Structure formats: C-alpha cells, structure tokens
C-alpha cells in the first residue's frame, strides 16, 4: 500500500464543483488582482477567526515581514522566536532589518520554552513571535504576560494553526497580530501561494494594508516605499470556497490523531504528541519522537509510507545562521529533538485502513528491533 504524506488531489475531488465554479466566476469577472473575491475572502476569514481586520497578502512569509514593518520593527531591534520552526519565521525578521534571537523550545510541545524568555529580553527587544507549531497553540498566557511586562509586541505565527484554540479562544486573536499561510499543504490551503494578517488594531491594520500595497492609500499616492504582496482573485475565491469545510477537516485531523495515539500508546520507545487541557490542536502535523527515527523512517518508506521531519536542522544550526555563532549547547532541546522527530502522514481524507497500515508497520518495526 502506498501512503502519501499528504494528498491534495482527493480533497479537490471531494469539492470539485465548488472549486471549479469559484475559478470560473473569477475568470468571468476578470477579477484577477484585488476586487470582490479578495474582499470577500478577507471578510470570510476575519469572521472565521472572530477578529476585526484581515489583510490578505502574497504568502505567509510576507505576512510576517509586513507585520514587523507595520509595527515599525527594523534596524537595531531584536525579535525573539523559537529555535525549531520553518525558516520563514526567522527570515522575515532579517528581511525586516531586525536581529533574530532564537529561544529554545519546550521538550514536550516544541513550542517556545517560556521559562527562557525573560533571560533573552534586552532593551532592544521589540517583539516575540509565538509559533503554534504543528497546529498546537503556544503557551500564550505566559508569553503575553512577559511581553506586557516588557512592553513588547506579540506576533502569532499561525501558519500551521488555522482554527486552533487556546483556552477556548481562537488562535490569531491572542497576540497583537497574527500571520497565516495558505500554502497548498497547510490546513487551509490555496492552489498557489497566499497569506494573510489579522489584528483587532485599526491603526496597525491600516499600516499593514499600506505596506502590502506599495505604501499607498490611493492609486498613485504613495506615503512610503512598501512591497507588492497581493492575494490574487483566483486564490481568494478558492479559499472562500474551501473555508466552509475547514472545521470538518479539522475534526477529521483530530480523529486521525486520536487513532494514531490510541494505536501507538503501548510502544515504550515512542513519545507521542500530548494535547494539554484547554489546548485545541488542529494537527497540521502528527509528530512522534523516537531514538530509532532514521531506521523507522527508512523501514516505513520501504513499506510505501511517506513521512517527514519538522525540522531536521534547528534554525540556529542552519548554515544560514552560522554568523550568529551558536553551538549545540545553546539550544539543547532543539539539538536533541531534531534527531528524534518524525511526522506521520496526516490529512483529512486519510482512511482508517491507511492509518491501520501505518500503525501496524510501526508496531512491526519496534517488535523487529527487540
Ligand atoms: C508555512 C510556514 C510559513 C510561511 O508561509 P509561506 O506561505 O510558505 O510563505 C511561516 N511559518 C511557518 C511556521 C510555516 O509553517
């Protein structure tokens, strides 16, 4: 049996009519850039999140960079972010002109280890980027409490966490602003690049919109040099067509996670993802830990099962950040976990039979090495 890591085609087949008619209407209206479909998606997504403003843009990386610029964060400023994330989180900080400050992650959640935050804050610190990694919310109460004490901003990187909840509150409404990616493989994915920023702050929203659109308020009235980062009409219409299904897809992901956890909990050489009370994870990824990671991954590959590693090299250890002169000892948890993490196939359409095939083969692997 072949089990892909994700399968975007089955999802398309299940909503083909909605998607095809969305695409057709954009083309009929030639609303390719800006226009009513983009406006409508911004309304739809802000309603889904339960927030005042949604400003769409080209992708999730741009969303982070534009948010920083709109907050006036740049040269001479420092931004704290987790050592285990996708490079977009740190790249945006550098692109905005600020300095990246990595924080090690919590061993259980792989999100910011909030106990370390205070020690990383300097007079130059302007913001903390809280990544809700794998779709599991970061410890927002503690992060916000520390940030408020030091008068610094909190930006949520919610690229993997559309619809996740923290203490019954929607992820994206917790910090000063939040950034989303609609990259095709994300829980709400477009059919190309797409992203958005959300906030309740009127002034910030206005600046974000200007930064994403050449620093202008009207067609040729540019108040400063911004960027060209736009959501196109086709992507917007596709996203609006998919949004009504998102909650159902999240429930499916959570059911898949439950089945994995139920089937694998007896294996002592495995650490399974743990969902804390009052945290509602949307399981963008189902990430296990084992010291036999490489062997297990190779074994599963041979059985036709695709897996992933998120991420195989912690951000501070990438060649891109050699200039920061970090060593393994600076981020012991990230260093340890990058050798242990393994992401199992998860997508709303994965079948019970496929899940069973994955879990049976994992059990087979652990029995074979005994
Ligand atoms: C995907 C992702 C991004 C970047 O989004 P793009 O749309 O690919 O630019 C940022 N942060 C995290 C945690 C992501 O997973």
């Amino acid at each position: 049996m072949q089990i892909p890591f994700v399968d975007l085609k089955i999802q398309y087949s299940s909503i083909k009519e909605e998607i095809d008619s969305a695409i057709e209407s954009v083309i009929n209206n030639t609303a390719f850039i800006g226009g009513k479909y983009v406006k409508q998606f911004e309304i739809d997504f802000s309603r889904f999140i339960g927030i005042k403003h949604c400003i769409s843009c080209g992708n999730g990386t741009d969303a982070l960079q534009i948010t920083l610029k709109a907050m006036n964060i740049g040269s001479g400023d420092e931004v704290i972010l987790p050592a285990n994330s996708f490079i977009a989180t740190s790249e945006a900080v550098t692109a905005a002109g600020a300095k990246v400050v990595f924080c090690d992650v919590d061993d259980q959640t792989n999100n910011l280890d909030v106990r370390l935050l205070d020690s990383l804050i300097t007079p130059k610190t302007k913001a903390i980027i809280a990544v809700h990694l794998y779709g599991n919310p970061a410890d927002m109460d503690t992060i916000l409490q520390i940030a408020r004490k030091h008068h610094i901003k909190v930006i949520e990187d919610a690229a993997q966490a559309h619809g996740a909840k923290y203490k019954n509150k929607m992820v994206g409404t917790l910090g000063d602003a939040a950034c989303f990616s609609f990259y095709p493989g994300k829980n709400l994915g477009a059919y190309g690049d797409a992203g958005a920023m959300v906030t309740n702050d009127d002034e910030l929203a206005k600046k974000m919109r200007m930064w994403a659109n050449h620093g202008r308020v009207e067609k040729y009235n540019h108040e400063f040099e911004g960027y060209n980062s736009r959501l196109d009409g086709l992507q917007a219409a596709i996203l609006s067509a998919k949004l009504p299904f998102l909650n159902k897809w999240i429930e499916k992901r959570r059911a898949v996670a439950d089945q994995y956890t139920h089937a694998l909990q007896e294996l002592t050489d495995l650490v399974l993802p743990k969902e804390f009370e009052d945290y509602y994870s949307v399981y963008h990824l189902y990430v296990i830990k084992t010291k036999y990671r490489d062997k297990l991954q190779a074994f599963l590959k041979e059985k036709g099962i695709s897996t992933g590693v998120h991420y195989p090299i912690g951000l501070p250890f990438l060649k891109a950040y050699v200039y920061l002169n970090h060593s393994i000892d600076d981020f012991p948890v990230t260093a340890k976990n990058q050798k242990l993490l393994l992401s199992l196939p998860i997508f709303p359409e994965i079948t019970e039979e496929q899940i069973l095939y994955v879990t049976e083969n994992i059990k087979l692997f652990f029995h074979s090495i005994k």
Side-chain angles (χ1 to χ4, degrees):
M1 203 185 314
Q2 291 294 318
I3 319 262
F5 187 63
V6 284
D7 189 332
L8 302 176
K9 190 68 189 288
I10 328 177
Q11 186 168 84
Y12 169 63
S13 307
S14 74
I15 51 168
K16 188 176 184 309
E17 258 174 58
E18 288 88 342
I19 297 288
D20 290 358
S21 95
I23 292 173
E24 199 182 335
S25 58
V26 176
I27 295 172
N28 280 335
N29 283 282
T30 62
F32 298 121
I33 297 288
K36 66 175 182 179
Y37 299 97
V38 172
K39 270 206 190 83
Q40 189 58 50
F41 175 67
E42 290 182 343
I43 293 167
D44 294 345
F45 195 66
S46 59
R47 278 198 191 130
F48 176 81
I49 297 294
I51 202 156
K52 213 162 155 193
H53 305 282
C54 169
I55 300 99
S56 59
C57 64
N59 55 68
T61 313
D62 281 3
L64 288 162
Q65 186 179 343
I66 291 165
T67 300
L68 290 161
K69 291 308 262 183
M71 287 177 171
N72 226 352
I73 295 170
S75 177
D77 300 331
E78 295 177 359
V79 177
I80 299 171
L81 59 110
N84 187 32
S85 183
F86 180 57
I87 194 171
T89 316
S90 48
E91 222 171 26
V93 172
T94 310
K99 185 180 175 226
V100 168
V101 177
F102 293 117
C103 177
D104 207 0
V105 295
D106 178 86
D107 197 18
Q108 284 200 49
T109 63
N110 278 292
N111 279 323
L112 281 172
D113 184 344
V114 294
R115 293 166 302 179
L116 302 171
L117 284 175
D118 260 317
S119 68
L120 294 170
I121 292 172
T122 75
K124 291 179 179 171
T125 309
K126 288 287 155 59
I128 298 169
I129 303 181
V131 181
H132 306 302
L133 202 68
Y134 311 148
N136 190 37
D139 179 0
M140 289 305 290
D141 276 353
T142 314
I143 293 166
L144 286 164
Q145 194 191 340
I146 294 167
R148 297 299 174 243
K149 190 173 77 190
H150 295 277
H151 305 287
I152 59 183
K153 301 280 188 198
V154 174
I155 300 165
E156 296 174 69
D157 180 341
Q160 302 186 359
H162 325 67
K165 289 180 202 130
Y166 172 84
K167 302 194 175 171
N168 269 324
K169 282 181 265 178
M170 200 60 124
V171 150
T173 63
L174 303 157
D176 295 290
C179 300
F180 288 88
S181 164
F182 307 111
Y183 179 80
K186 299 285 157 84
N187 285 17
L188 178 63
Y191 286 4
D193 273 314
M197 302 160 272
V198 300
T199 183
N200 276 318
D201 181 334
D202 299 343
E203 199 52 39
L204 182 64
K206 202 173 130 197
K207 286 196 192 136
M208 286 166 160
R209 205 172 276 292
M210 288 177 76
W211 269 102
N213 188 19
H214 302 290
R216 69 182 155 198
V217 275
E218 318 140 12
K219 194 155 191 187
Y220 293 116
N221 185 7
H222 305 269
E223 293 189 10
F224 55 85
E225 289 177 321
Y227 305 119
N228 171 14
S229 183
R230 303 185 277 228
L231 176 65
D232 71 69
L234 284 168
Q235 302 310 333
I238 288 165
L239 288 166
S240 281
K242 288 180 79 173
L243 189 55
F245 300 96
L246 182 56
N247 280 327
K248 191 184 83 185
W249 290 332
I250 290 170
E251 279 166 30
K252 274 296 313 255
R253 283 177 180 275
R254 289 177 55 82
V256 175
D258 265 357
Q259 285 174 61
Y260 273 142
T261 300
H262 194 74
L264 300 174
Q265 59 194 1
E266 68 192 58
L267 297 171
T268 47
D269 287 317
L270 267 189
V271 180
L272 304 179
K274 184 170 180 300
E275 200 178 35
F276 294 94
E277 214 187 308
D278 271 350
Y279 283 60
Y280 182 85
S281 171
V282 292
Y283 288 97
H284 174 59
L285 297 168
Y286 185 90
V287 181
I288 61 174
K289 287 194 292 190
T290 171
K291 62 180 179 203
Y292 302 105
R293 193 266 312 275
D294 292 342
K295 280 191 183 132
L296 174 60
Q297 186 172 35
F299 179 87
L300 294 176
K301 191 174 171 208
E302 212 148 89
K303 302 285 182 184
I305 300 165
S306 304
T307 57
V309 176
H310 301 87
Y311 294 89
I313 308 174
L315 294 174
F317 313 132
L318 289 169
K319 198 172 169 194
Y321 296 104
V322 164
Y323 71 91
L324 290 173
N325 275 317
H326 283 305
S327 78
I328 292 283
D329 304 328
D330 296 336
F331 308 96
V333 177
T334 299
K336 172 176 77 81
N337 284 349
Q338 66 186 12
K339 299 195 192 106
L340 310 178
L341 302 166
L342 186 68
S343 309
L344 302 184
I346 190 163
F347 47 96
E349 299 78 12
I350 193 170
T351 64
E352 301 230 353
E353 192 194 2
Q354 289 176 311
I355 297 167
L356 191 66
Y357 182 72
V358 175
T359 56
E360 287 303 312
N361 275 299
I362 293 173
K363 287 181 196 170
L364 193 64
F365 170 80
F366 281 106
H367 293 142
S368 74
I369 58 168
K370 281 281 134 76

